[in-house]
Amino acid sequence: MPRRLGWTFWLSAGWIGLLLLAAIFADLLPLPRYDETLAGAPQSGPSPAHPFGTDGLGRDMLSRVVYGARVSLGVGIGAVLLGLVIGAPFGLIAGYRRRAADAVIMAVNDIALAFPALVFALAVVAFAGAGLSNVLIVLGVLGVPAWTRLIRGATMAFAEREFVVAARALGARDSRILLREIVPNVALPASSYAFIGMAVAVVAEGGLAFLGLSVQAPTPTWGGLINEGRGIMETAPHIVLAPSFVMFLTVLSFNLVGDRLRALTDVRQSGLEPARPSAATPLPTGEHEVAGTLLQVADVRTHFETPRGTVRAVDGVSFTLERGRTLAVVGESGSGKSMLIRTILGLLPGAGAVSGGQVYLEGREIGDLAPAEKREILGTRFATVFQDPMTALNPVRTIGTQVMEPLRVHLGMDRKRARQEAVRLLASVGIPEPAQVLRRYPHQLSGGMRQRVTIAMALSCDPDVLFADEPTTALDVTIQDQVLRLIHRAREERDLAMILVSHDLAVVSQWADEVIVMYAGKVVERGPAAALFERTRMPYTEALLQAIPRLDDPSHHRLRVIEGRPPDPARLPPGCRFQPRCPYAGERCETEEPPLVRAETPDHLYACWFPVGTGAGIVEGTESRGR
Amino acid sequence: MILRKVIRLLVVLGVVTFLSYVMLNLLPGDPTVQILGMSATEEAREQLRQEMGLNSPLFVRYADWLGGVVTGDLGTSYITDIPVLEALVDRLPVTLELLVVAQVISLALAVPLAVAAARRAGGAIDQALTTLSFGMLSTPVFVLGVVLILVFAVHLRMLPATGWTPISVDPYWNFLSVLLPSITLAVGQLAVYSRLLRTDLIATLQEDYITLARARGLSPRRILWRHALRPSAISLITAIGLNLGGLIGGAVIIETLFGLPGIGRLIVDSIFARDYLTVQGGVVLISVGYVLVNFAVDLVYAAVDPRIRRA
């Protein structure tokens, strides 16, 4: 989907175009010549006859500014073209043939950066003679390293892309690949930089002119005009302000045009909090009773507005959870499991997210609480462990600072007590020499140790609900079991309620009391673990179960996989979301979305028009894994 | 690691001084004309060239000069008869003060602005900062300087327009005289620094450890300042080092505009006077300064990011 350039782009481009035309056709404009003295009274301010006023010799300022644009734009455009013509081939070759060129480029770069460019420009222009061509050549040459760097970077990014790698593998000639595949793709960043480079060159020329080292009088230059006007600033400020203002607008326009072009390739960014908190109206919530259990999640939704349409990442999930129970959330990647956790905790990424539904802690809605109260609950009642221990700890803070922080913020401990408590916590999760570990940084610990630290942090403020989002997926197989046992032990000792997100059904069947199966943001089956595994109703759950490799499979047995791919979340199929991949799908599945209905076992729900019979054949499968 | 870095920086120094020496010497212009004037006879010129060693091969002259530099002798200006080193040392405090005050001003404003903008990327503060920084980036120093003089010196008469009071003479007047020039120099840096830091902060805010810090119920202020700022500061610190060259360029113009007797003004005057040795000395000073600052930047990296200490 093409992005819009926006009105700032067109306004800026319009100004540059206007200025360019005025500069080119300056002789045809109904203006006094730039060097015509006493075209008006000297030092007179702006008037209809002289919109920019006149200078000390009575010359028309508008005319002088317009003629000055010839030098500024000429140098700006010329220097950029010169830099491009020299720098681009170097950059293309360096980016495409990386190995040999890299060292040379780096060395040249080092030197170019250490070189006082403006001093050099001053010296060359002063010694070689101040004039248009010398200024242009010097500024053009000084721009070459930057051009080389830019083109090299852009080329490198594309030289690794599939289509270029494929073309190379197919034996296309290098020159052909460069011209056909890379140059068109590098053109956009290059054109963006061209405008920014023009801004730089215009400013540099202005600086030289200001010091009297550009095109010499009587030809006006913007920098020269500003320098001339300086002396009579007190009596006739317009003489210095008119060229200043025009120059500012021009440089701004070049920068804006360059930036808008660059922004075409940008990705959307989000900060810590949504940009406009009140703008999004929450999604409607279905009717529900407030149960007063430890945790109740009612009709929770999260949708993202994207250029491709609304993505329903979480689409109406409800459950309740009692103390001491473990609820597992299973599903393929992208089914909305992790997003469900983030929605419950209120930790959505800012950009374009809209959520709805309610979360109750002991019957109290937490969505409406003031931020400080919400943080209090997050800090002391809820705890979270994420998948990847490599990214879960702040790399620049010591383990001690990080473990002690919640103790000090939420429990108000002083440094000494917090340190003692941190040592105790680390020891309790099986970390040897905890006092030493407090002084370490995360990168000095192994993945398993880091996950133990995050678990210790999660448990530090004595929470009631533990959210564990794939807590072992990123760990070594040998460590996985230890960490799971550690979490399980903590759960038993503290009578925690736990929400365990996992795609590992073996883990789920071993630890969970209840299971929620998610597909494309929706709950498709939900129930007590035993009922759900033994009397599976939803074909998707069946497919998940069948996809587990088993020890008793014959060797060289084909891995069972779920056919097809998860649906595009912005373009969900009509009817049942699993229907395109479902072996049992009938006509009804394509038109009507199945609601969650009750199975014969209490609390077992599923969403399917054609539920899997009695689950024959799956029962033995789960049982053979030792439940 | 440190040794390799030192060697690399020494090589950079060598190449920069050699290139600038060669270029300054290859440029048209005859120093004997500057010293003896247009009317001197060719014999007199030739004799002077002999005395000054201008007839030896370029490389020999460079080696001689470099030998002097290493022992602290940058030569004596043909034009003013002042030893180059003395002239530079005399002017250095002015430029240093200008650069340091400008850096302090730009960082003191850039960091809080970037933090506020990154907190709600795309929000009102962020958009205002984006607009403002485009304005700041697009204002050439001489334009900004002129406007500031017009407003604060000519109209409000709050600050001196030009001139310099050394800190040893009167600290208060010294502060007043450095204020406008350093604000002028700081504005462009402020835009660059705040944009850089904002972008890196936003990237850091997407990290798991930030989401987890929020999940731990920590306040946005604490998360931004204590958790996100330090891991996001690397590009900013790099920019502070690399921008020194650009700052010197700005200082040349600003010292001219505000009439400050600094290194930049000395170099411009020496260029106009064809005082090769002084220009060359200035280039050496700037490159040495650049190299030292970037060496310091490397040390700061390690303080900011413990992962670098290990490498």
Side-chain angles (χ1 to χ4, degrees), chain B residues 13-254:
Chain B
L13 264 185
V15 175
V16 168
T17 53
F18 180 69
L19 283 181
S20 54
Y21 193 90
V22 169
M23 279 187 278
L24 285 176
N25 278 279
L26 289 183
L27 286 170
D30 186 346
T32 59
V33 177
Q34 299 296 319
I35 298 163
L36 299 177
M38 298 293 273
S39 54
T41 59
E42 187 51 39
E43 288 82 54
R45 288 182 203 284
E46 189 53 36
Q47 196 189 347
L48 184 69
R49 285 197 198 103
Q50 289 288 352
E51 281 170 26
M52 289 166 58
L54 288 178
N55 287 342
S56 356
L58 190 58
F59 197 79
V60 175
R61 277 189 284 156
Y62 172 71
D64 275 353
W65 174 81
L66 189 66
V69 171
V70 172
T71 55
D73 174 18
L74 291 171
T76 300
S77 164
Y78 320 133
I79 313 291
T80 58
D81 271 337
I82 299 172
V84 171
L85 187 67
E86 196 178 294
L88 289 173
V89 168
D90 204 35
R91 304 287 196 103
L92 187 60
V94 179
T95 304
L96 268 186
E97 190 180 338
L98 175 65
L99 295 183
V100 170
V101 175
Q103 290 284 19
V104 169
I105 292 175
S106 50
L107 282 174
L109 293 174
V111 173
L113 280 175
V115 169
R119 178 166 175 176
R120 291 195 179 88
I125 296 178
D126 190 27
Q127 285 181 353
L129 180 67
T130 305
T131 311
L132 200 67
S133 57
F134 265 107
M136 295 191 289
L137 275 177
S138 305
T139 315
V141 283
F142 48 92
V143 169
L144 181 67
V146 161
V147 172
L148 286 179
I149 290 179
L150 203 55
V151 173
F152 289 100
V154 175
H155 277 284
L156 299 176
R157 304 199 176 276
M158 283 162 60
L159 295 164
T162 57
W164 177 256
T165 311
I167 197 160
S168 51
V169 173
D170 185 340
Y172 177 68
W173 275 98
N174 169 264
F175 177 71
L176 290 187
S177 58
V178 81
L179 202 54
L180 275 189
S182 37
I183 290 173
T184 309
L185 191 54
V187 163
Q189 301 296 304
L190 168 59
V192 173
Y193 292 166
S194 61
R195 298 302 293 167
L196 264 180
L197 183 59
R198 169 201 170 270
T199 306
D200 284 7
L201 270 171
I202 286 172
T204 303
L205 291 176
Q206 318 303 316
E207 296 278 349
D208 274 356
Y209 57 81
I210 297 296
T211 309
L212 277 166
R214 289 175 66 202
R216 251 167 241 137
L218 301 175
S219 65
R221 176 194 294 261
R222 180 180 268 274
I223 291 174
L224 285 163
W225 286 96
R226 299 216 194 165
H227 292 239
L229 187 56
R230 208 140 66 90
S232 313
I234 293 284
S235 303
L236 176 64
I237 294 166
T238 311
I240 295 172
L242 295 184
N243 265 341
L244 197 76
L247 272 183
I248 301 273
V252 170
I253 291 170
I254 283 173

